[in-house]
Amino acid sequence: MDVEKVVGRGHSQESKSKQAVEYPEFDHAAEKKLVRKLDLYIVPIIMLLYLFSFLDRVNIGNARLYGMEEDLGLQGNQYQTAVSILFVTYLLSEIPSNLLLKKLRPSRWISAITTSWGIIATLTGITQNYSGLIACRILLGLVEGGLFPGATVYLTLFYTKRELALRIGYLFVSAAIAGAIGGLLGYGIGFLDGIAEQRGWRWILIIEGLPSFVLGIATWFLLADSPETAFYLSTEEKQLMKLRRDRQAGQTESAQRFHKADVYAAFKDWKVYAFCVGQFGTDTMLYGYSTFLPTIIKGLGSWSTAQTQALTIPCYCLGALSYVVIAQISDSQQRRGLYTVIFGGISVIGYGILISDAGMGVHYFACFLVAMGLYVTVGLPLAWLPINQPRYGKRTTATGMQLTAGNASGIMAPFLYPSSEGSRFIKGHAVTLAMVGMANLIFAFMSWYLSKQNDRRRHGKEEAKVAHLSETEILELGDESPKFVYTV
């Protein structure tokens, strides 16, 4: 494991000499065993939570194929409004939810919101009109909004910066699995059309909503609140967890507590806003693709509903596989910007082909290119920003801001693909291409800028700014410390 040494300067002549902060050595084999145990107890439940969250949020796309618009009398852009209205309350709840996470305990808070959205998602299946659908979507966004930012911050409590991208990547694997499963479930549940005099779209929403309710109750008992209180860690393993945290620059005891000053610091940091704008661009692709892929593929040919569902599955599988592979490479190399930009470029090429006047087979191939870059481009920045924020309050707020900005694109994305513009959806593809291209430019710049900052710090050009501070005070500066090394 990479051991970071923090060197500080105090007021006395003795403390002004450079001194490395030494940490006791530990068994790296024991650390690997510890990480495997963390993965066993944390990753499955976090993946399931996000899988069902994503499924309950976007299964309206599959329900659309089974007569929902007709039954509820939706006209014009009412379907797009129902899709997008969820994101209004979704994004408004993200930052407050993150600020409440530690105070209310992760296990209790995440359990409460999961159980709530399970109930709401299930009851959406019995709504009778447009107004009822809108009410359900507003409430669903309100309770679901806290999950992803909360899960991201939760993972930072247990994993180091060299382990985080892959674990956050598992959330996007869950999203991809949800897309694939959604297609399979939609296909299977569609055969229930007419059972108990209910249409297939109702069964899709009801059956896919119930597991979230059950999982929410289980989360209360299965999710640990912190490494210190984790029931599955021995005393020795808890000590090892503390040592792992202490070996990361800026991860002091005080930094792990919530301070209002850290919240304000996040709102004043221009780098956080840059990531927010970039995330908005990439999430435009995420929500447009995830919600409308069945509609896009159906427009490529004379497919039946079942065939359309089946053709979405390989796209999601490629997207999941791409992210897992790249996340592991990114973690090992500690490079985020390079792979974000490369795979964002692949998605841009995919949208360019979708816009072109090519054949059906070529357009379907383009859907694979978009999927290949999708989760990498969306996911890596969500691991990139928090690992560069060692102080809990700033990390929590910055992550909430990033996700709020990104999910705001969910309000816009549905209107990029109106039914009147099928089957080519040229405007939607063109706008999405431009948004991903913009995000690529931002992330390329941030990678360059952070590299330059690291060079300045490596050559001691920032030392003068902290010459008057003690070693403890330097440690408390977090990412502003000249001893902190940014991940680029």
Side-chain angles (χ1 to χ4, degrees):
M1 188 180 76
D2 182 34
V3 179
E4 293 172 319
K5 296 182 177 180
V6 181
V7 182
R9 296 178 184 269
H11 296 292
S12 66
Q13 184 65 32
E14 178 182 0
S15 64
K16 285 185 179 180
S17 62
K18 290 187 177 181
Q19 302 174 33
V21 178
E22 299 292 344
Y23 297 106
E25 292 297 326
F26 60 84
D27 187 349
H28 290 278
E31 184 187 23
K32 291 181 180 179
K33 182 179 178 181
L34 172 63
V35 172
R36 286 196 297 269
K37 177 179 276 193
L38 294 176
D39 287 343
L40 178 64
Y41 282 91
I42 295 175
V43 169
I45 189 168
I46 292 294
M47 285 188 68
L48 283 173
L49 284 166
Y50 193 63
L51 187 153
F52 288 122
S53 167
F54 199 85
L55 188 64
D56 290 338
R57 197 184 328 146
V58 303
N59 59 9
I60 191 173
N62 290 319
R64 186 187 195 186
L65 300 176
Y66 288 89
M68 184 182 72
E69 288 179 290
E70 177 187 350
D71 285 0
L72 297 183
L74 304 187
Q75 299 176 353
N77 285 332
Q78 288 184 330
Y79 171 78
Q80 283 78 13
T81 301
V83 172
S84 67
I85 197 70
L86 174 143
F87 294 98
V88 175
T89 49
Y90 190 100
L91 64 92
L92 289 175
S93 67
E94 288 181 307
I95 294 178
S97 178
N98 257 15
L99 298 179
L100 288 171
L101 184 68
K102 257 194 172 182
K103 184 175 183 179
L104 298 181
R105 299 173 56 183
S107 62
R108 304 305 186 247
W109 181 244
I110 293 177
S111 172
I113 62 176
T114 304
T115 304
S116 298
W117 94 57
I119 294 172
I120 297 166
T122 303
L123 294 179
T124 305
I126 63 173
T127 189
Q128 299 298 316
N129 50 46
Y130 176 62
S131 299
L133 178 62
I134 290 294
C136 288
R137 297 290 290 179
I138 289 173
L139 292 174
L140 188 63
L142 183 66
V143 293
E144 273 200 6
L147 178 66
F148 193 94
T152 301
V153 171
Y154 181 79
L155 291 171
T156 66
L157 301 177
F158 290 85
Y159 293 100
T160 67
K161 62 192 299 183
R162 288 188 172 274
E163 301 158 353
L164 190 61
L166 180 60
R167 275 70 191 184
I168 291 180
Y170 289 142
L171 297 177
F172 287 96
V173 171
S174 295
I177 293 173
I181 288 179
L184 287 172
L185 288 176
Y187 173 73
I189 299 173
F191 288 106
L192 296 179
D193 189 35
I195 300 296
E197 299 183 352
Q198 300 296 326
R199 292 294 301 274
W201 70 268
R202 295 188 183 277
W203 286 117
I204 289 173
L205 298 178
I206 292 170
I207 292 175
E208 292 183 6
L210 287 172
S212 297
F213 174 77
V214 176
L215 181 61
I217 296 173
T219 299
W220 184 285
F221 304 100
L222 297 178
L223 202 65
D225 291 315
S226 68
E228 292 78 14
T229 61
F231 64 89
Y232 47 83
L233 296 180
S234 66
T235 302
E236 292 76 14
E237 288 169 332
K238 290 177 181 178
Q239 292 173 345
L240 182 54
M241 287 292 294
K242 184 178 184 301
L243 182 56
R244 277 160 47 87
R245 184 193 69 199
D246 292 344
R247 293 166 86 92
Q248 298 183 88
Q251 297 278 1
T252 64
E253 288 288 344
S254 174
Q256 303 315 303
R257 295 193 291 270
F258 182 83
H259 300 281
K260 288 184 179 179
D262 292 330
V263 176
Y264 299 144
F267 282 113
K268 293 187 291 184
D269 190 342
W270 70 269
K271 298 189 295 297
V272 174
Y273 289 99
F275 274 92
C276 288
V277 176
Q279 201 67 44
F280 182 88
T282 59
D283 279 17
T284 300
M285 171 172 59
L286 173 67
Y287 290 117
Y289 188 85
S290 300
T291 305
F292 290 92
L293 181 61
T295 303
I296 292 169
I297 290 180
K298 190 171 185 178
L300 297 180
S302 301
W303 311 112
S304 68
T305 299
Q307 289 172 327
T308 299
Q309 299 282 20
L311 288 170
T312 66
I313 296 170
C315 299
Y316 287 115
C317 291
L318 177 63
L321 179 63
S322 298
Y323 191 93
V324 170
V325 172
I326 298 305
Q328 288 179 313
I329 296 172
S330 174
D331 269 343
S332 64
Q333 297 180 355
Q334 284 297 283
R335 296 187 67 91
R336 310 296 191 208
L338 174 65
Y339 297 108
T340 299
V341 172
I342 288 175
F343 280 80
I346 292 174
S347 290
V348 165
I349 293 171
Y351 278 108
I353 295 174
L354 284 171
I355 293 171
S356 69
D357 188 17
M360 179 183 65
V362 177
H363 281 164
Y364 185 51
F365 169 72
C367 291
F368 282 90
L369 290 181
V370 174
M372 186 176 179
L374 172 62
Y375 296 109
V376 176
T377 309
V378 173
L380 283 186
L382 293 174
W384 190 3
L385 180 60
I387 59 175
N388 282 329
Q389 309 297 331
R391 296 189 63 82
Y392 175 80
K394 187 176 181 183
R395 179 170 70 244
T396 298
T397 307
T399 300
M401 292 169 63
Q402 182 184 19
L403 286 164
T404 297
N407 287 321
S409 66
I411 300 174
M412 173 187 71
F415 295 97
L416 298 178
Y417 294 91
S419 302
S420 60
E421 296 190 6
S423 60
R424 292 288 305 280
F425 298 109
I426 292 177
K427 182 183 75 174
H429 296 328
V431 173
T432 305
L433 184 155
M435 297 299 289
V436 178
M438 174 199 70
N440 257 18
L441 292 175
I442 291 172
F443 291 133
F445 171 78
M446 291 308 301
S447 183
W448 172 82
Y449 174 80
L450 295 177
S451 295
K452 290 296 182 182
Q453 288 297 106
N454 285 344
D455 287 341
R456 287 181 57 84
R457 293 177 178 187
R458 190 177 301 114
H459 293 98
K461 295 180 180 179
E462 303 288 324
E463 293 290 332
K465 296 180 181 179
V466 296
H468 63 289
L469 299 178
S470 68
E471 180 178 327
T472 301
E473 289 171 327
I474 293 175
L475 286 170
E476 295 294 341
L477 291 175
D479 64 302
E480 298 299 325
S481 167
K483 307 304 176 184
F484 183 83
V485 179
Y486 286 111
T487 296
V488 299

